[in-house]
Amino acid sequence: MKLKIITQERVVFDEEVDEIYSVGTDGEFGILKGHIPMMTALAIGVTRAKQGNDFKTFTTMGGILQFKNEECLILTTLAEAGEEINEARARDALERARRRLREANARLDAKRAEAAIARAEARLKAKLSQ
């Protein structure tokens, strides 16, 4: 089956895969060949694609996943391949976001800090599981 991960700026991935695992707003799920058509909203998390004995990992920062006719299309505002992620930068971003959350006075600042933490954690998980 084909997996395409697309952002507004580029095609992040467009290859044949054997299995797909991701995180929707309702929880984690997997897709194998022959899966029924589906569409779901994605949460901030990691999408994993199995190719033979190897896994490719990607951060997916929300978006939509559609599967039909043996093609999985992910449209997201931001996606990165695990090997593209700078681990040191992701750890720094996570620490900054945690510090902002501790110092956040307004509810809006807390929500932004929580989203930044989720993005940084997804990057680290994608990087470390590649």
Side-chain angles (χ1 to χ4, degrees), residues 80-110:
E80 300 167 286
E83 65 264 8
E84 295 174 352
I85 296 168
N86 180 314
E87 185 178 348
R89 282 185 59 203
R91 287 189 188 283
D92 289 344
L94 179 59
E95 185 52 40
R96 279 192 313 275
R98 286 180 175 160
R99 190 172 45 252
R100 278 198 317 263
L101 184 59
R102 285 191 302 269
E103 298 167 356
N105 293 329
R107 192 177 211 128
L108 180 62
D109 288 341

Side-chain angles (χ1 to χ4, degrees), residues 35-66:
H35 198 287
I36 62 170
M38 67 175 283
M39 182 177 279
T40 190
L42 294 177
I44 295 173
V46 175
T47 296
R48 299 174 62 221
K50 186 174 183 188
Q51 290 181 306
N53 293 327
D54 298 323
F55 275 94
K56 303 269 187 183
T57 59
F58 306 90
T59 60
T60 42
M61 305 299 178
I64 299 290
L65 178 144
Q66 177 186 27

Side-chain angles (χ1 to χ4, degrees), residues 7-47:
T7 70
Q8 297 172 29
E9 298 173 356
R10 66 186 178 120
V11 175
V12 176
F13 187 79
D14 185 4
E15 295 182 24
E16 294 290 322
V17 299
D18 300 311
E19 302 171 16
I20 301 164
Y21 301 93
S22 195
V23 183
T25 55
D26 292 328
E28 295 182 23
F29 61 90
I31 299 173
L32 303 175
K33 291 179 182 175
H35 198 287
I36 62 170
M38 67 175 283
M39 182 177 279
T40 190
L42 294 177
I44 295 173
V46 175
T47 296

